[in-house]
Amino acid sequence: MLIREATPEDWPAIWPFFHAIVAAGETFTFPLDLDFEQGRGWWLLTAPNRTVVAVDEATGAVLGTAKMNRNHQGNGSHIASASYMVDPAHSGRGIGRALAEYTIAWAREAGYRAMQFNAVVASNEHAVKLYESLGFTVIGTLPEGFHHPTEGYVGLHVMHRPL
């Protein structure tokens, strides 16, 4: 697997799993009805922020993607954030972990002091467990901050990791 900068040409390969994940409404606070162009605008970031893809080195297939950005502007711009999506057809292969490790290294090299995730859905146990294994802690939970389509109202974690 190779992690590289995403290009606009990657969007058609990202879109099918991006759309499926967002429309399912289980893990992201994005509008459920984003279309192709709106989704591109939400996911493909411009400098100084970044979007990357994890690709199969043999086939070139996009396996997953991550976006990295400042969490806040101004006097809060020293904290980074990131979001991740892995094509469900390729889950369980360490792609999410590799993308998360990549974004942590990017944030450290870019001079950020910490990373913060603002909205980790509490019922997304695999993501919470992964982030905790990478040194993130839950520093707060917004009770019933997320309306899950099958589990009802669940907590929305804020997770933090110093760099």
Side-chain angles (χ1 to χ4, degrees):
M1 174 178 47
L2 168 72
I3 298 176
R4 63 164 173 78
E5 203 74 28
T7 68
E9 292 75 28
D10 291 315
W11 184 244
I14 296 168
W15 169 250
F17 66 87
F18 175 95
H19 177 66
I21 290 167
V22 170
E26 297 176 349
T27 55
F28 280 85
T29 60
F30 295 178
L32 304 181
D33 61 350
L34 289 176
D35 66 26
F36 185 87
E37 291 303 322
Q38 291 168 323
R40 181 194 330 242
W42 280 65
W43 198 259
L44 295 183
L45 303 180
T46 58
N49 304 310
R50 293 181 59 206
T51 302
V52 297
V53 288
V55 297
D56 183 302
E57 288 186 90
T59 66
V62 174
L63 309 172
T65 181
K67 65 176 187 159
M68 303 158 274
N69 52 277
R70 287 185 200 123
N71 195 37
H72 298 288
Q73 301 299 314
N75 289 346
S77 64
H78 58 283
I79 308 298
S81 191
S83 298
Y84 315 96
M85 287 193 188
V86 174
D87 183 338
H90 301 288
S91 65
R93 295 177 42 194
I95 298 161
R97 175 174 292 280
L99 287 166
E101 289 172 346
Y102 183 96
T103 64
I104 292 167
W106 165 81
R108 186 177 290 121
E109 290 168 16
Y112 289 98
R113 295 180 51 86
M115 286 189 79
Q116 178 180 314
F117 302 146
N118 300 323
V120 180
V121 178
S123 61
N124 188 355
E125 295 173 4
H126 292 292
V128 173
K129 188 178 204 179
L130 170 62
Y131 303 153
E132 288 177 336
S133 77
L134 293 169
F136 287 85
T137 57
V138 174
I139 60 171
T141 302
L142 176 61
E144 297 187 349
F146 188 83
H147 189 209
H148 192 280
T150 60
E151 297 185 31
Y153 291 98
V154 298
L156 205 52
H157 294 321
V158 176
M159 298 187 77
H160 174 268
R161 180 196 195 285
L163 296 173

